[in-house]
Amino acid sequence: MQELLAEMEERRKQVEALGGEERIQKQHQAGKLTARERVEYLLDPGSFVELQPLTQHLETGLMEGADAPADGVITGYGKIAGRTVFVFSQDFTVLGGSLGKMHGQKIARAMDLAVKVGAPIVGLNDSAGARIQEGVDSLSGYGEVFYRNAIYSGVVPQISAILGPCAGGAVYSPAMTDFVLMSRGTSYMFITGPEVIKSVTREEVSFEELGGADVHNMKSGVAHLEADGDEAVLDLVKKLLSYLPQSDREKPAIVETQDPKDRKTPELLDLVHPDPRRPYNMHQVIQALLDEKEFLEVQPSFARNIIVGLGRLGGMSVGIVANNPRFMAGALDIHASDKAARFIRTMDSFNIPVLTLVDVTGFLPGVSQEHAGIIRHGAKMLYAYAEATVPKITLITRKAYGGAYLAMNSKDMGADIVLAWPTAAVAVMGAEGAANIMYRKEIQSSDNPEATRKAKIEEYKQAFDNPYVAAGRGYIDDVVSPEVTRMYLIRHLEMLWDKREERPWKKHGNIPL
Ligand code: HXC
């Protein structure tokens, strides 16, 4: 027996040695933790249980005789804040973390178990893409993972931390998951690297400029969050998970809060000026309303004209979607529509109520937006809100005009409760534009066109630039003071917490993509 145990220990030691001391040092010098150190950091101490550590690569293609401990990926499960989570962690010290058939299969098996037990799956990605030596077998390995990313989407939360290169096939698995987080300066994502790009298009670009964390968090919208270094990214993963349930079968946990449910927010009385041209900081509004003023913004640097993120009200998780009047006057454009629609669907998948804060004059006008398909993209928002069956509360802080009023979850689009502040104005468009269109002839033919124009604008304002017409028709449930809004939101959310909304049977809807 002792001999057998010694052999077992020896095999395990070889696996735990990863790709060898030299490559581990290189990994550390690059400012990265090893695959095992990451798992240790992510999970509650001592909770990790490894699966299939003794996996060997297929002796296929050009892999004969190659050494690949654990086939370059560590998989298993453990706890985060006491809750079960499945994890896979690609090991860059083994063939650059490249994905071979068994590597892919290990990830797939962990995903299958995660879905069977109903627990999130966190991928720690650090991979040079398909393992070239394995040829088509490595592509098959990717296929197994991609397939599950898609069919398990909306079943258990899938979170991808990008902690090194993610090249070629390595990008598409994260792209299908719910949240992508990147480490600044040490991670990048691209389909083809700088060298291939240079040979095909003659463009010269660095790794960082092509697919670094800033690029994907600011420009492409591929990533949702970024932080400096592995630990900070893994901390964000833990925080994100705290707002989510284990699976689509559950609601998010209700967390104890010291923040009184009836806390008044007098600071909001002066923040939102009645003059619609005076911008204000919507982040301050969000923070004031949420428990402990804590808001985890998602995609904070992409499409800044809309704000999305997670917080709590009375201990209940809530997803926030809010116009940001400080950027492009909060107008909805293509990127903002994509960002919001995707977030709403993520919230709906995992039973997280959506709170929408509205201050928007409309969709962004312009030839480039029209030609790039603002109709198709804007339609995603309408679709996502209507499709969502979670509790939906809308608060109109100031302007709610036209199509954007509908796109920001109006009553008719399925909002359960719509509140407005006295500063709100619900209309087809702003008073100036409306008066110019409706009374053009009258203004032009008048003795004093400017005075007539002003009078007509005032007339329209009196008629529509307030919340009371919409409240009178039942489109707004109530007009409330900013000072007591938090209390109202929590009461409505508690009332809606067990909401159920059925939809006609269908295979699946066909969201415009
Ligand atoms: C097997 C690979 C590999 C790969 C790198 N290695 N890429 N092994 N398959 N795809 C090995 C190297 O030989 C090296 O082995 C070790 O990993 C580390 O690589 P280095 O190049 O030394 O590291 P670094 O300088 O940090 O550069 C990392 C890198 C670079 C930028 C990721 O390795 C690279 O560009 N690799 C190719 C990326 C790529 O084109 N992938 C696409 C594959 S095709 P030793 O033994 O020296 O440590 C694909 C299509 C799938 O993915 C499509 C599915 C839809």
Side-chain angles (χ1 to χ4, degrees), residues 155-313:
V155 181
V156 294
Q158 299 183 51
I159 296 182
S160 301
I162 313 296
L163 302 171
C166 254
V171 295
Y172 277 123
S173 169
M176 277 191 276
T177 62
D178 301 303
F179 295 100
V180 176
L181 298 89
M182 295 182 75
S183 56
R184 217 179 269 120
T186 45
S187 75
Y188 35 83
M189 300 174 79
F190 47 73
I191 290 177
T192 49
E195 294 207 358
V196 177
I197 288 181
K198 193 175 168 189
S199 68
V200 176
T201 68
R202 301 207 183 139
E203 290 165 296
E204 289 199 32
V205 65
S206 69
F207 283 96
E208 197 60 39
E209 288 163 349
L210 181 62
D214 282 349
V215 167
H216 288 308
N217 278 276
M218 291 176 187
K219 281 191 186 167
S220 72
V222 166
H224 298 87
L225 287 163
E226 62 180 321
D228 290 316
D230 290 7
E231 279 112 336
V233 172
L234 298 174
D235 287 342
L236 275 176
V237 170
K238 296 185 214 191
K239 183 142 197 214
L240 199 47
L241 279 170
S242 76
Y243 292 102
L244 306 177
Q246 291 292 88
S247 74
D248 63 345
R249 287 179 261 163
E250 294 178 14
K251 292 196 177 93
I254 297 178
V255 168
E256 285 265 327
T257 173
Q258 301 305 314
D259 201 351
K261 292 180 184 175
D262 58 358
R263 172 173 55 82
K264 290 196 171 161
T265 52
E267 65 272 35
L268 294 180
L269 289 171
D270 296 326
L271 189 69
V272 181
H273 199 275
D275 179 352
R277 282 162 302 196
R278 295 266 285 267
Y280 58 94
N281 189 342
M282 186 62 102
H283 286 95
Q284 281 176 2
V285 176
I286 296 168
Q287 274 156 1
L289 293 172
L290 291 176
D291 291 356
E292 334 273 353
K293 307 198 170 180
E294 208 174 293
F295 179 49
L296 175 60
E297 190 170 356
V298 172
Q299 294 194 305
S301 311
F302 175 69
R304 296 176 73 184
N305 38 333
I306 201 147
I307 301 166
V308 302
L310 287 144
R312 290 193 181 87
L313 277 169

Side-chain angles (χ1 to χ4, degrees), residues 303-456:
R304 296 176 73 184
N305 38 333
I306 201 147
I307 301 166
V308 302
L310 287 144
R312 290 193 181 87
L313 277 169
M316 296 168 281
S317 278
V318 63
I320 311 282
V321 179
N323 303 118
N324 186 356
R326 296 221 292 193
F327 284 87
M328 297 160 55
L332 296 175
D333 66 349
I334 287 171
H335 283 337
S337 304
D338 283 0
K339 172 175 163 180
R342 171 84 176 151
F343 183 75
I344 294 159
R345 297 193 101 211
T346 307
M347 296 301 98
D348 191 46
S349 296
F350 296 113
N351 309 315
I352 303 172
V354 176
L355 169 63
T356 305
L357 305 183
V358 188
D359 185 354
V360 62
T361 53
F363 284 97
L364 184 69
V367 176
S368 66
Q369 286 284 308
E370 296 286 348
H371 286 188
I374 182 70
I375 297 173
R376 180 162 53 86
H377 292 273
K380 293 178 199 185
M381 271 187 84
L382 294 164
Y383 193 105
Y385 268 125
E387 176 193 49
T389 56
V390 286
K392 293 181 284 189
I393 300 178
T394 298
L395 170 67
I396 304 172
T397 58
R398 214 162 51 182
K399 304 170 299 296
Y401 292 162
Y405 155 68
L406 295 168
M408 292 299 289
N409 201 29
S410 66
K411 193 83 167 176
D412 303 295
M413 291 301 298
D416 298 300
I417 295 288
V418 180
L419 299 176
W421 284 349
T423 41
V426 183
V428 175
M429 59 174 71
E432 240 169 83
N436 285 341
I437 294 170
M438 283 195 302
Y439 306 111
R440 188 165 38 156
K441 281 189 191 143
E442 218 173 314
I443 293 169
Q444 278 170 356
S445 61
S446 119
D447 293 341
N448 188 343
E450 205 37 44
T452 311
R453 205 171 68 85
K454 277 196 177 138
K456 291 295 175 194

Side-chain angles (χ1 to χ4, degrees), residues 23 26 92 95-96 98 128-133 139 142 146 165 167-169 188 207:
R23 291 195 186 90
K26 221 171 144 189
F92 192 77
L95 300 169
S98 58
R131 187 176 296 156
I132 298 162
Q133 296 91 317
L139 297 181
Y142 265 129
F146 295 168
Y188 35 83
F207 283 96

